[in-house]
Amino acid sequence: MEDGDSAEAFRAFAAGVALQREDPSLLWVQLKNRIEHAILDGTLPENARLPSEQAMCNMFDLSRPVIRNALQALAGEGRVIKQPRKGMFVAPRAPELAFMTSALGVFDDLSAKGYKVTVKTYEFGLHPANEDERRVFKLPDGFQVIRALRVYHANETPLTHTLISLPAHRLPGFEKLDMEGRSIFGTIRELYGLTVARADRWLKGAIVPSEVAARMGVPPGGAMIAIESVAYDHDGNALEYYRAYYNSEVAPIHVATDAH
């Protein structure tokens, strides 16, 4: 957005802002909320340049610390970004991702949404099924699973760190394939004729383990969304079990509901 257009858009926004000095809410909180609302409703569009702190002081008749606190809070929430020697700008919105309501695998779902998907595989092979895998796949003792430990990148940014388990007896020879950069579900459909009909997923917040943080390129000790998922074929048999860490800072999860 051109600087002249940005300045005009902000002046028009500022003209309609009336902060309540008698309100128990702090002035900087009021201003932060008004700017945030203008960003979310498009009044202040993506990449619009914000006026300088001094210009905002004059527009709103506020002190510099009040303006600075509001901008710092907006920056901390990712609403605005500071570009060295250029100024403060409205941050581009992260693309929303609705794959949580889809039964597709991560690779297929991201591809269907138009993302450029790349995969780095850290592990792929046969393993004795553990207790959780035996429970999900209803396996007797001694059965094996195929495990794939992968990091999925959306548009070259790490998005999910995923441990996938598959019932080996239903996919003979699958562990011998070169799966680097390939869709697991796509290959299963092609070679074995098995497709997913539905999936159950559970989400919770979790602290990211250090090895996961290193593979995802994020600081250790941070939080991500932990996902557990079981996908079923058309006969109701579990076909895939995965546990993942999802970085919602890259693409927020969007779940739509209706009134029915």
Side-chain angles (χ1 to χ4, degrees), residues 39-255:
I39 291 172
L40 292 175
D41 71 10
T43 300
L44 299 177
E46 294 181 14
N47 303 311
R49 183 174 181 173
L50 302 183
S52 68
E53 288 184 4
Q54 186 57 54
M56 287 193 195
C57 290
N58 297 333
M59 287 181 186
F60 299 110
D61 190 24
L62 295 171
S63 67
R64 189 180 290 265
V66 172
I67 300 295
R68 185 168 297 156
N69 285 343
L71 292 177
Q72 287 177 344
L74 289 165
E77 295 179 5
R79 301 298 185 192
V80 300
I81 53 175
K82 186 175 183 180
Q83 297 184 12
R85 297 182 297 277
K86 291 185 178 180
M88 191 80 74
F89 295 81
V90 175
R93 290 194 185 186
E96 291 182 337
L97 184 60
F99 87 88
M100 299 310 302
T101 56
S102 166
L104 296 171
V106 176
F107 191 107
D108 291 350
D109 200 276
L110 289 171
S111 298
K113 299 292 188 300
Y115 288 85
K116 176 187 175 183
V117 184
T118 54
V119 182
K120 183 171 179 59
T121 302
Y122 290 88
E123 176 187 328
F124 185 72
L126 280 173
H127 296 271
N130 62 29
E131 182 178 352
D132 287 336
E133 292 161 336
R134 289 196 300 271
R135 171 181 53 81
V136 168
F137 296 122
K138 297 181 171 59
L139 298 176
D141 290 345
F143 270 58
Q144 293 181 307
V145 294
I146 301 164
R147 288 190 200 138
L149 180 60
R150 315 179 103 189
V151 173
Y152 291 86
H153 297 70
N155 296 341
E156 301 183 354
T157 303
L159 180 62
T160 68
H161 181 286
T162 308
L163 177 60
I164 300 166
S165 299
L166 307 163
H169 68 285
R170 301 192 65 192
L171 306 168
F174 190 77
E175 74 279 0
K176 299 176 183 178
L177 301 177
D178 180 5
M179 291 301 299
E180 191 63 35
R182 296 175 65 182
S183 161
I184 286 180
F185 273 166
T187 305
I188 290 173
R189 285 195 302 269
E190 177 184 347
L191 298 182
Y192 301 91
L194 297 172
T195 58
V196 170
R198 68 178 184 88
D200 291 328
R201 290 187 175 133
W202 300 265
L203 287 73
K204 65 180 181 180
I207 300 300
V208 182
S210 57
E211 66 273 15
V212 173
R215 292 171 185 149
M216 295 284 283
V218 299
M224 284 190 185
I225 298 174
I227 305 170
E228 186 175 7
S229 174
V230 180
Y232 301 88
D233 64 17
H234 290 269
D235 294 323
N237 299 310
L239 184 58
E240 180 208 47
Y241 174 46
Y242 80 68
R243 289 76 75 206
Y245 289 93
Y246 178 89
N247 189 355
S248 61
E249 293 296 321
V250 176
I253 293 172
H254 171 219
V255 179

